[in-house]
């Protein structure tokens, strides 16, 4: 009667060990999938900062050449494309439902912005469509960042970066150069995730 108990305890220990191993493997796989997207999104965020600086310099110059307008639009397409890649990657790799929803909405909005930039280079610009794409993108980013704050509320860096993103998005409704702030916040947040191996 007494011999069955140690075996029962050993089997429980083995089950716990196997379950812990599976959890670690799952976290490692999720980290391995998210990490390259963090780097891609960070590059896109910092490219947004560069684009905002160049766009501000071009808009304040006395003579605006067509070449500089094309360069700014190409940079916009590149930065929005990289950030959209991150959000679609987060949608596919994350296990959090709210982050998935926010990432999908943000990715769709950014993809819409890429299409609008391409049309603008072709000489077609529809203000209503551009505004709609920007609002969809903002809604998705806000949802994802709110969840980041909820998950990492004890991490001051994550909270500060998310506040910068919120501030930049709010100001970008009035001034286009404000994307400099949101781009720096997003780039800083994602490079922080990349360096510290953070998953969600």
């Amino acid at each position: 009667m007494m011999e069955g108990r140690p075996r029962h305890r050993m089997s429980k220990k083995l089950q716990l060990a196997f379950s812990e191993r599976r959890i670690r493997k799952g976290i490692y796989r999720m980290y391995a999938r998210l990490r390259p997207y963090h780097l891609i999104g960070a590059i896109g965020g910092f490219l947004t900062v560069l684009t905002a600086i160049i766009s501000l310099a071009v808009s304040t110059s006395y003579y605006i050449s067509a070449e500089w307008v094309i360069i700014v639009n190409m940079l916009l397409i590149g930065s929005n494309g990289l950030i959209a890649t991150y959000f679609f990657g987060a949608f596919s790799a994350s296990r959090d439902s709210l982050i998935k929803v926010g990432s999908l909405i943000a990715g769709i909005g950014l993809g819409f912005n890429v299409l609008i930039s391409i049309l603008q280079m072709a000489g077609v610009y529809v203000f209503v469509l551009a505004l709609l794409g920007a609002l969809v993108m903002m809604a998705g980013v806000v949802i994802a960042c709110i969840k980041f704050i909820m998950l990492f509320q004890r991490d001051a860096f994550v909270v500060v970066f998310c506040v910068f993103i919120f501030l930049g998005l709010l100001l970008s409704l009035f001034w286009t150069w404000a994307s400099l702030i949101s781009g720096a916040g997003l780039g800083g947040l994602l490079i922080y995730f990349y360096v510290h191996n953070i998953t969600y």
Side-chain angles (χ1 to χ4, degrees), residues 55 74 88 101 103 113-114 153 161 167 195:
S55 178
M74 289 179 68
F88 283 127
V101 170
S103 297
N113 288 342
V114 169
Q153 55 187 321
F161 286 135
L167 181 63
V195 170

Side-chain angles (χ1 to χ4, degrees), residues 34-46 82 86 187 190-191 193-195:
L34 275 172
R35 193 164 193 253
Y37 291 119
H38 286 156
L39 184 59
I40 291 169
I43 294 170
F46 294 131
L82 289 171
Y86 157 70
L190 295 181
I191 205 70
F193 285 166
Y194 177 81
V195 170

Side-chain angles (χ1 to χ4, degrees), residues 49-85:
V49 175
L50 178 63
T51 306
I53 293 170
I54 294 174
S55 178
L56 184 62
V58 169
S59 62
T60 55
S61 64
Y62 179 76
Y63 174 72
I64 301 175
S65 63
E67 291 81 6
W68 277 110
V69 174
I70 293 171
I71 289 170
V72 169
N73 281 329
M74 289 179 68
L75 287 172
L76 275 173
I77 291 168
S79 60
N80 286 333
L82 289 171
I83 298 171
T85 302

Side-chain angles (χ1 to χ4, degrees), residues 69-185:
V69 174
I70 293 171
I71 289 170
V72 169
N73 281 329
M74 289 179 68
L75 287 172
L76 275 173
I77 291 168
S79 60
N80 286 333
L82 289 171
I83 298 171
T85 302
Y86 157 70
F87 278 115
F88 283 127
F91 168 74
S92 64
S94 177
R95 294 188 297 181
D96 188 276
S97 58
L98 196 59
I99 291 176
K100 278 181 172 290
V101 170
S103 297
L104 179 61
I105 294 171
I108 292 171
L110 285 161
F112 204 68
N113 288 342
V114 169
L115 178 61
I116 290 167
S117 296
I118 294 171
L119 290 174
Q120 190 175 359
M121 289 178 67
V124 180
Y125 183 74
V126 182
F127 175 75
V128 176
L129 294 179
L131 181 62
L132 180 63
L135 291 175
V136 171
M137 178 271 295
M138 288 179 185
V141 173
V142 167
I143 291 170
C145 285
I146 287 173
K147 187 58 180 183
F148 287 147
I149 292 174
M150 291 170 63
L151 286 174
F152 309 109
Q153 55 187 321
R154 294 183 179 179
D155 195 324
F157 285 101
V158 174
V159 175
V160 169
F161 286 135
C162 287
V163 168
F164 266 90
I165 293 170
F166 292 149
L167 181 63
L169 291 176
L170 179 63
L171 293 176
S172 64
L173 293 172
F174 308 100
W175 300 286
T176 55
W177 58 263
S179 58
L180 187 151
I181 301 172
S182 57

Side-chain angles (χ1 to χ4, degrees), residues 10-24:
M10 285 297 292
S11 64
K12 277 189 174 181
K13 287 182 179 179
L14 286 172
Q15 286 176 1
L16 286 171
F18 280 123
S19 63
E20 286 178 2
R21 191 175 178 183
R22 286 175 186 172
I23 291 169
R24 286 176 184 173

